[in-house]
Amino acid sequence: MRCGRRGWASAPSPRRWTIPDGRAARTEFLRAATAVLAAFAVSGLFSSLAPSFLREELHVHNVAAVGAEVGLLFIVALIAQVAAPERWIAGRRPASAFLVAGVAVFEAGLWTRSLPTFVAGTLLAGTGIGLAFRRGVGVAQRLADPRRRADLLSTYFLFAYTGTIVPTLALGLLDQTINQDGATLILAVAVVATTLASALSRPTTAIA
């Protein structure tokens, strides 16, 4: 503790990670957390790939154009969070469908060296990222103990930022041993598998 002008103040303490009590609640939270991990993995993978792909493969050297393409993913994700129909946000599968389609399409754009295909994949993936993130925050808030809501949300964001960091590091490591196309294909398959596992897992009704 320390003393300030207005008296004693507690030193800030980090939030502890936690998961909800009860089997059904844990399962629902972990599905939402896995979905946002996959969504942010797409974001990290895209952010790592887009600048070099545009410059080296499509010979786009205008910095503003490269930045606009990278920013497009995040703009679309933001719009999806605030403007998507409620039925898209409430269900698990719409976000996963957009993510899988987005990864498939922008991966096709990478292999075919097609800018329109890559942009189309960006739009689809951005929509999936926005839907997955908003739904996951809602699930975490609904399942959290009111006294420990920040703890559960910090766990949720831990999954999200893990999804951002790990694929980026993995891409750097794989790119040193195989070509970029092969490295991105491996990571794309891993992201799709994680997304489908989250979307297609059966709901749990039993409470521990």
Side-chain angles (χ1 to χ4, degrees):
M1 300 184 68
R2 60 184 177 82
C3 184
R5 290 184 177 180
R6 297 184 179 181
W8 292 95
S10 298
S13 60
R15 307 308 307 182
R16 292 182 300 151
W17 74 276
T18 187
I19 57 175
D21 295 327
R23 183 181 176 189
R26 285 197 301 267
T27 300
E28 184 177 2
F29 173 75
L30 290 174
R31 280 200 304 257
T34 302
V36 84
L37 186 150
F40 274 53
V42 173
S43 171
L45 184 61
F46 176 88
S47 300
S48 301
L49 285 172
S52 61
F53 171 68
L54 293 171
R55 287 195 309 267
E56 297 170 12
E57 303 297 340
L58 298 182
H59 308 293
V60 177
H61 299 294
N62 185 297
V63 176
V66 173
E69 169 60 17
V70 175
L72 180 63
L73 182 84
F74 301 100
I75 293 170
V76 172
L78 175 61
I79 293 172
Q81 289 181 61
V82 300
E86 186 60 33
R87 66 182 183 276
W88 288 12
I89 297 167
R92 284 188 291 148
R93 296 186 179 181
S96 299
F98 276 106
L99 277 176
V100 170
V103 171
V105 173
F106 83 60
E107 186 68 21
L110 288 172
W111 282 83
T112 61
R113 307 298 189 255
S114 169
L115 181 59
T117 305
F118 192 77
V119 171
T122 302
L123 296 173
L124 290 168
T127 302
I129 291 168
L131 293 176
F133 179 74
R134 180 174 169 186
R135 180 178 185 277
V137 169
V139 168
Q141 290 179 329
R142 174 167 53 82
L143 296 177
D145 182 332
R147 297 166 299 179
R148 299 189 63 189
R149 182 171 284 112
D151 293 345
L152 190 60
L153 284 170
S154 70
T155 305
Y156 177 77
F157 279 98
L158 178 62
F159 274 84
Y161 294 132
T162 298
T164 300
I165 295 168
V166 172
T168 304
L169 296 177
L171 181 64
L173 293 173
L174 288 172
D175 202 28
Q176 297 177 17
T177 56
I178 58 178
N179 60 44
Q180 188 180 74
D181 288 344
T184 58
L185 181 60
I186 291 171
L187 292 174
V189 170
V191 168
V192 167
T194 303
T195 304
L196 293 177
S198 171
L200 300 179
S201 60
R202 294 182 179 180
T204 301
T205 55
I207 303 296

